[in-house]
Amino acid sequence: MREQFEVRELDAGGRIGELSIPRAGVTVETPALLPVINPNLDTLSPRRLAEEFGAEILITNSYIIHQTDGVREDALEDGLHELYEFPGAIMTDSGSFQLAEYGEIEVTTEEILAFQHAIGSDIGTPVDIPTPPGVSRDRAETDLETTQRRLERAEAIDTGEMLVTAPIQGSTYPDLREAAGRHANATSLDVFPVGAVVPLLNEYRYAEVVEIVAAAKRGLGADAPVHLFGAGHPMMFALGVALGCDLFDSAAYALYARDDRYLTVRGTRHLDALEYLPCSCPICTKYTPNEIRELPDDEREEVLAAHNLHVTFAEMARIKQAIRAGNLLELVDERARSHPAMLDGYRTLLDHAAYLERSDPVSKGSFFYTSHESARRPEVLRHHQRLERLTVPDSLLLTDGDAPASYDAENCWRVEPPFGPFPRALSKSYPLTAEVPDRTDDAALTAAVDGIETLCEAHPDTSVTFAHHGWPAHVLEGVPEGVSLVDLGKN
Amino acid sequence: MREQFEVRELDAGGRIGELSIPRAGVTVETPALLPVINPNLDTLSPRRLAEEFGAEILITNSYIIHQTDGVREDALEDGLHELYEFPGAIMTDSGSFQLAEYGEIEVTTEEILAFQHAIGSDIGTPVDIPTPPGVSRDRAETDLETTQRRLERAEAIDTGEMLVTAPIQGSTYPDLREAAGRHANATSLDVFPVGAVVPLLNEYRYAEVVEIVAAAKRGLGADAPVHLFGAGHPMMFALGVALGCDLFDSAAYALYARDDRYLTVRGTRHLDALEYLPCSCPICTKYTPNEIRELPDDEREEVLAAHNLHVTFAEMARIKQAIRAGNLLELVDERARSHPAMLDGYRTLLDHAAYLERSDPVSKGSFFYTSHESARRPEVLRHHQRLERLTVPDSLLLTDGDAPASYDAENCWRVEPPFGPFPRALSKSYPLTAEVPDRTDDAALTAAVDGIETLCEAHPDTSVTFAHHGWPAHVLEGVPEGVSLVDLGKN
């Protein structure tokens, strides 16, 4: 186990953890949101971020500080904590983003890590190569090798108590991302940003982000704190957390405010398009849309940034509460309706149900079936795996209703969409206590039939009858041939 | 047209309207939320409701005032507006709820309407009979006849500028609710509460609420302002508005606060279960859960009531903004994921797609396909209806991809799930500009096949070929026999 990171609670791939940051003398609860501070602009002061928004950690760019006369000297003299009057932890980026944007930068990993240490950063970053999506495999591999050599060099540098990140690259090649995760995990470095996903996020390519993060996570292992670098839109936090990301940074709150863009968990709105403020935050309960539109530019930017950050922090609290309550996937299911591309992301997340199942608790508060996608949740998969291990009688009646009076309970199991068959004795145990809609759907029925198939394959000598109330033919096609079907008519 | 109600904007069955309330001298924008004021308890003062929460209208119970010595005299002497120091409109209930709860009350419709007028109510209510769900048809009919006679008597009373409501009853019999709506609509009464849905709401029977409201709306017609009486949980406002409800009242904000229950748009949480406050409101950004738990009882109740009301008003703003932007159904789709019973409600709403289609604008901002349920939206239905009217060539190639070079555009239409076929010239027109996920689903494919079927039935002499990329067999079963199918393999 990494000693600076401890996982406290789990739900699907998501977790609540504690990241100890020794140089700052603080422990940050994850998932955490790191507001980005631009060293040259002060939309909301770091002090205000701490006092008004409860920010425990922020991130700023050491390369910009390094390259800006005056700021550099102040940072070296006073240190970031005094300069920003910020009581929490401060993480610094290295200039990799500038490298991706402008093609070159003027520092090495050794120089920038030494500088980060000198200005009092609590978590420093080497100069990795942020390879964009869709490049040739050759380039992705070559870039990754460079990044990995730099991580190895970073590992060798004495940075005292400062934690150091090991960014995961590999472009849009999942196997490279996985290998990068494995390599990073084998270093002594501390925090693991999944890098260069911003171009994908900007284009709403959430399905690809899911594939990349899932691959990096496979390589990294469960005890690594993972930072989804550049992901600042609250719409996708729940999805990111469910995948196992622990840290998020937001420049969006300030950048969007500059363009009069208003964040919501359901997407971005332009201030000009708002006739109402769909939010309960202190800004939106104080102003009308017109009052905000009529503010002077700098005040409007500040007010919108404050709204954007309120929404962002509230979503993080909602996610943590969902993990505690064991309903994170219900939240992801809801957020998936914000945009068709978010739905793609969620559908892709559920491709990794077997991976999510490994960290999902055996019992949670309740399982809500809230969409066709719910049929693919890890709890359903786990129930099917369990069916392989259950003892079955020689002859078994499965029904989607009550057991006929002539049958013993042991010989007549219930079939409940989306789970499929189970002995009635299990009906009070999670997840079979699920709340399901009265109006079921093909996805739930199909998953239940998959359960019947799993049961029959694991117990080929059992004679099985399935008595159902009008299940559709195309769903029943999945029932194995040996099973006798009885249609009891519509319920 | 009813002169006191004007519909300004439409989206599905939802609308933004203006309800003129002459006695109050105000016009209230709908959908509106009426906080309930208990005459004997003052959780949040009416003045604070106006100033801090922007409440334009509230509702209180004239029967409780009538029956409470002291309060009655004050109300008669000063009038409700002065008593409550409330600048907006005040609606009053009649004691029907007490009738339902306790079996009898001590006033007639004539007496209570005269009393409501005397205490300065702006919208008064007769004594209707709130028949509970699931009673015998005989009882529902008898009760409804009593209610209807009382409405006729109410109609004959001179109530000056005070508006008078015509409650719609009929228990869980949709045809009675429709008849009740038609009867009420034929009176000269002004506002139309759908009554006695609280027992259904308390039991999460949203599907039945949808059937009842849809039936009442069919009877009432489009220009009637409809009040979903007793519906105060923000989780279901979007569903209620999409059905065509204009007024909602909330006692929940205060009642729930008394029991330490915390409202969210995703359901109710008990304060004891909260380790985080999943909200950005002025209360939740000021306090931690522990700080709220440790407040004295009355302060805790006040703080929770304020949170509950912030959430409630914010959801109403969100809904209005969604109507303006033309994405109310996307919001309903999202809220449907709050609870399996909400999903039942949404699926039932979509049974009424033909009804929603009648008020849905021809063109809106964009159509987001965000779930299997999206395939049943009114826009899809309307496209299918349009297919019946389009001119088609003698021979038509339908494809889910680009047109082959050998085909003229007129002879090769595109097939796009969930809409189905359309001439490429229409591809830039709503709703064919829809944003759809890359990963489609059976519901979208099936709806597209329904479109092909509609097209072929309307144009039986056209020879149709459908060239698709690996659509599943059970979906293609819906394609009419005369259509030639070509499988181009997976995309």
Side-chain angles (χ1 to χ4, degrees):
Chain A
M1 283 291 278
R2 280 188 173 74
E3 65 188 32
Q4 85 282 2
F5 186 59
E6 200 162 340
V7 172
R8 297 286 190 187
E9 297 255 359
L10 288 161
D11 190 8
R15 62 261 190 106
I16 291 180
E18 287 182 356
L19 180 64
S20 303
I21 304 175
R23 197 177 190 196
V26 299
T27 296
V28 170
E29 189 178 66
T30 63
L33 185 274
L34 292 69
V36 174
I37 296 299
N38 182 326
N40 296 323
L41 292 167
D42 201 8
T43 316
L44 300 176
S45 73
R47 192 171 167 171
R48 195 174 156 197
L49 295 179
E51 290 172 1
E52 199 175 319
F53 297 88
E56 296 182 300
I57 177 168
L58 55 77
I59 181 168
T60 190
N61 191 309
S62 70
Y63 183 68
I64 296 177
I65 297 171
H66 186 267
Q67 299 300 103
T68 311
D69 295 339
V71 178
R72 179 179 56 242
E73 287 70 24
D74 288 348
L76 284 168
E77 188 154 325
D78 297 331
L80 290 178
H81 287 266
E82 197 180 316
L83 199 64
Y84 289 157
E85 300 180 275
F86 186 74
I90 299 179
M91 176 173 174
T92 44
D93 193 7
S94 62
S96 298
F97 181 75
Q98 284 67 25
L99 181 64
E101 289 285 297
Y102 311 115
E104 58 178 338
I105 55 170
E106 296 176 357
V107 292
T108 63
T109 284
E110 284 78 357
E111 285 162 358
I112 201 71
L113 277 176
F115 181 71
Q116 289 173 86
H117 188 263
I119 61 178
S121 172
D122 302 308
I123 308 178
T125 304
V127 183
D128 61 318
I129 312 287
T131 316
V135 301
S136 72
R137 188 171 175 98
D138 264 5
R139 173 164 166 207
E141 281 178 352
T142 310
D143 280 3
L144 182 55
E145 278 160 29
T146 306
T147 291
Q148 292 182 343
R149 277 199 307 276
R150 291 182 185 177
L151 297 190
E152 287 153 18
R153 275 156 48 202
E155 211 183 343
I157 300 169
D158 179 9
T159 51
E161 281 195 313
M162 182 173 82
L163 300 180
V164 176
T165 71
I168 314 288
Q169 298 291 347
S171 183
T172 25
Y173 297 95
D175 63 318
L176 293 186
R177 292 279 186 173
E178 184 173 344
R182 212 163 17 246
H183 172 273
N185 200 45
T187 67
S188 62
L189 300 174
D190 308 292
V191 172
F192 303 89
V194 179
V197 294
V198 169
L200 297 174
L201 293 169
N202 287 345
E203 295 178 5
Y204 281 45
R205 292 160 67 180
Y206 298 112
E208 288 167 271
V209 173
V210 169
E211 289 296 2
I212 283 170
V213 174
K217 290 282 300 184
R218 281 195 300 275
L220 278 168
D223 68 340
V226 175
H227 180 174
L228 191 57
F229 212 50
H233 200 303
M235 178 171 76
M236 59 79 63
F237 286 171
L239 181 66
V241 170
L243 271 165
C245 297
D246 307 294
L247 301 169
F248 297 79
D249 58 283
S250 172
Y253 80 95
L255 291 175
Y256 282 43
R258 211 158 295 155
D259 296 336
D260 283 341
R261 285 185 293 165
Y262 177 102
L263 290 178
T264 86
V265 292
R266 308 178 54 238
T268 309
R269 312 285 180 249
H270 197 281
L271 179 61
D272 288 346
L274 290 179
E275 304 205 35
Y276 308 87
L277 296 174
C279 174
S280 65
C281 85
I283 299 297
C284 296
T285 48
K286 181 175 169 192
Y287 294 94
T288 67
N290 270 335
E291 285 166 0
I292 296 181
R293 279 190 279 269
E294 284 161 12
L295 290 172
D297 284 359
D298 54 344
E299 275 182 60
R300 196 173 66 249
E301 182 178 328
E302 184 186 323
V303 156
L304 283 175
H307 157 79
N308 288 345
L309 206 53
H310 277 303
V311 172
T312 304
F313 274 109
E315 180 68 355
M316 213 46 103
R318 199 172 286 123
I319 288 166
K320 289 196 215 180
Q321 180 58 38
I323 294 173
R324 296 269 185 194
N327 56 28
L328 178 62
L329 287 179
E330 279 84 352
L331 180 60
V332 177
D333 195 290
E334 190 172 329
R335 292 289 175 261
R337 317 304 157 177
S338 310
H339 192 280
M342 285 292 302
L343 181 57
D344 277 326
Y346 179 40
R347 289 176 173 175
T348 305
L349 176 76
L350 292 170
D351 292 346
H352 299 278
Y355 164 76
L356 302 178
E357 189 274 330
R358 272 181 281 168
S359 47
D360 201 41
V362 172
S363 184
K364 297 191 277 190
S366 64
F367 176 109
F368 279 6
Y369 188 95
T370 54
S371 69
H372 290 70
E373 283 75 24
S374 300
R376 297 176 63 219
R377 280 177 49 168
E379 295 91 338
V380 177
L381 188 72
R382 180 180 292 163
H383 178 69
H384 291 180
Q385 291 165 354
R386 187 181 187 178
L387 287 172
E388 299 176 6
R389 300 188 306 270
L390 289 176
T391 308
V392 299
D394 294 341
S395 174
L396 184 60
L397 175 65
L398 306 177
T399 70
D400 61 348
D402 294 331
S406 55
Y407 271 80
D408 288 338
E410 309 91 83
N411 299 326
C412 178
W413 290 13
R414 189 169 163 80
V415 175
E416 175 96 19
F419 301 104
F422 56 87
R424 280 158 210 272
L426 290 182
S427 63
K428 302 268 187 253
S429 66
Y430 187 88
L432 303 169
T433 49
E435 298 263 1
V436 298
D438 290 335
R439 299 171 63 132
T440 191
D441 54 55
D442 279 6
L445 297 173
T446 300
V449 164
D450 289 347
I452 295 175
E453 191 182 7
T454 304
L455 184 75
C456 294
E457 281 174 5
H459 308 282
D461 299 331
T462 293
S463 148
V464 178
T465 301
F466 176 37
H468 62 89
H469 290 85
W471 288 32
H474 72 267
V475 167
L476 292 171
E477 274 171 21
V479 176
E481 286 209 356
V483 175
S484 311
L485 288 172
V486 180
D487 191 340
L488 304 170
K490 284 276 174 197
N491 232 343
Chain B
M1 282 292 277
R2 282 190 172 74
E3 65 189 30
Q4 84 282 2
F5 186 59
E6 201 163 337
V7 172
R8 298 285 190 189
E9 298 255 358
L10 289 161
D11 189 8
R15 60 265 190 102
I16 291 179
E18 287 183 357
L19 180 65
S20 304
I21 304 175
R23 197 176 190 197
V26 299
T27 295
V28 169
E29 189 178 67
T30 63
L33 185 274
L34 291 70
V36 174
I37 296 299
N38 181 328
N40 296 322
L41 292 167
D42 201 7
T43 315
L44 300 176
S45 72
R47 191 171 169 172
R48 193 173 158 198
L49 294 179
E51 290 172 2
E52 197 175 318
F53 297 88
E56 295 182 300
I57 178 168
L58 55 77
I59 181 168
T60 189
N61 191 309
S62 69
Y63 183 69
I64 295 177
I65 296 172
H66 186 268
Q67 299 299 102
T68 311
D69 295 340
V71 177
R72 178 179 57 243
E73 288 69 26
D74 289 349
L76 284 168
E77 189 155 324
D78 298 332
L80 291 178
H81 287 267
E82 198 180 314
L83 200 64
Y84 289 157
E85 301 180 274
F86 185 72
I90 299 180
M91 176 172 175
T92 45
D93 194 4
S94 62
S96 298
F97 181 76
Q98 283 69 22
L99 181 64
E101 289 283 298
Y102 310 115
E104 57 178 338
I105 57 169
E106 297 175 357
V107 293
T108 63
T109 285
E110 283 79 356
E111 286 162 358
I112 201 69
L113 277 176
F115 181 71
Q116 290 174 81
H117 188 264
I119 62 178
S121 172
D122 303 307
I123 307 178
T125 305
V127 183
D128 61 318
I129 312 286
T131 316
V135 300
S136 72
R137 187 169 177 100
D138 264 5
R139 174 167 167 204
E141 281 178 354
T142 310
D143 280 2
L144 181 55
E145 278 160 30
T146 307
T147 291
Q148 291 181 344
R149 278 199 308 275
R150 292 182 185 178
L151 297 190
E152 285 152 21
R153 275 155 49 200
E155 211 182 343
I157 299 170
D158 178 10
T159 51
E161 280 195 313
M162 181 173 82
L163 301 180
V164 176
T165 70
I168 314 288
Q169 296 293 344
S171 184
T172 25
Y173 297 95
D175 62 319
L176 293 186
R177 292 279 186 173
E178 183 172 344
R182 209 159 26 241
H183 172 272
N185 200 45
T187 66
S188 62
L189 299 175
D190 308 291
V191 172
F192 303 89
V194 179
V197 294
V198 169
L200 297 174
L201 293 169
N202 287 345
E203 295 178 5
Y204 281 44
R205 292 160 67 181
Y206 299 112
E208 288 167 89
V209 173
V210 169
E211 290 297 3
I212 283 172
V213 174
K217 290 282 301 182
R218 281 195 300 275
L220 279 168
D223 68 340
V226 176
H227 180 174
L228 191 57
F229 213 51
H233 200 303
M235 179 170 74
M236 59 81 62
F237 286 171
L239 182 66
V241 170
L243 271 164
C245 298
D246 308 294
L247 302 169
F248 297 79
D249 59 281
S250 173
Y253 80 95
L255 290 176
Y256 282 43
R258 213 158 296 155
D259 296 336
D260 283 344
R261 286 185 291 166
Y262 177 101
L263 291 178
T264 85
V265 293
R266 307 178 56 239
T268 308
R269 310 287 179 247
H270 197 282
L271 178 61
D272 289 346
L274 291 178
E275 304 205 35
Y276 308 88
L277 296 174
C279 173
S280 65
C281 85
I283 300 297
C284 297
T285 48
K286 181 176 168 192
Y287 294 94
T288 67
N290 269 334
E291 284 166 0
I292 296 182
R293 279 190 279 268
E294 284 161 13
L295 289 173
D297 285 359
D298 54 344
E299 274 182 62
R300 195 174 66 251
E301 182 179 329
E302 184 188 323
V303 155
L304 283 175
H307 157 79
N308 288 345
L309 206 53
H310 276 304
V311 171
T312 304
F313 274 109
E315 181 67 356
M316 213 47 103
R318 199 172 287 122
I319 288 166
K320 290 196 215 179
Q321 180 59 36
I323 294 174
R324 296 269 185 196
N327 55 29
L328 177 61
L329 287 179
E330 279 85 351
L331 181 59
V332 176
D333 195 291
E334 190 172 328
R335 291 290 175 260
R337 318 302 157 180
S338 308
H339 192 280
M342 285 292 302
L343 182 57
D344 277 326
Y346 179 39
R347 288 176 174 174
T348 306
L349 176 76
L350 293 169
D351 292 345
H352 298 278
Y355 165 75
L356 302 179
E357 188 275 330
R358 274 182 280 168
S359 47
D360 201 41
V362 172
S363 184
K364 296 191 276 189
S366 64
F367 176 110
F368 279 6
Y369 188 96
T370 53
S371 69
H372 290 70
E373 284 75 25
S374 301
R376 297 177 63 218
R377 280 179 48 170
E379 295 90 338
V380 177
L381 189 71
R382 180 180 292 160
H383 178 69
H384 291 180
Q385 291 165 353
R386 186 180 188 179
L387 286 172
E388 299 176 7
R389 301 188 305 270
L390 289 177
T391 307
V392 298
D394 294 341
S395 174
L396 183 60
L397 175 65
L398 307 177
T399 70
D400 61 347
D402 293 332
S406 55
Y407 271 79
D408 288 339
E410 309 91 83
N411 299 327
C412 178
W413 290 13
R414 186 166 165 81
V415 175
E416 176 96 18
F419 300 104
F422 57 86
R424 282 159 208 273
L426 290 182
S427 63
K428 302 269 188 252
S429 66
Y430 186 87
L432 304 168
T433 49
E435 298 263 1
V436 298
D438 291 334
R439 299 171 65 131
T440 191
D441 53 56
D442 278 5
L445 297 174
T446 301
V449 165
D450 290 346
I452 295 175
E453 192 182 5
T454 304
L455 184 76
C456 294
E457 280 173 7
H459 308 284
D461 300 332
T462 293
S463 148
V464 177
T465 301
F466 176 39
H468 62 88
H469 289 85
W471 288 32
H474 72 269
V475 167
L476 292 171
E477 274 170 21
V479 176
E481 286 211 354
V483 174
S484 311
L485 288 172
V486 181
D487 191 340
L488 304 169
K490 285 276 172 197
N491 231 344

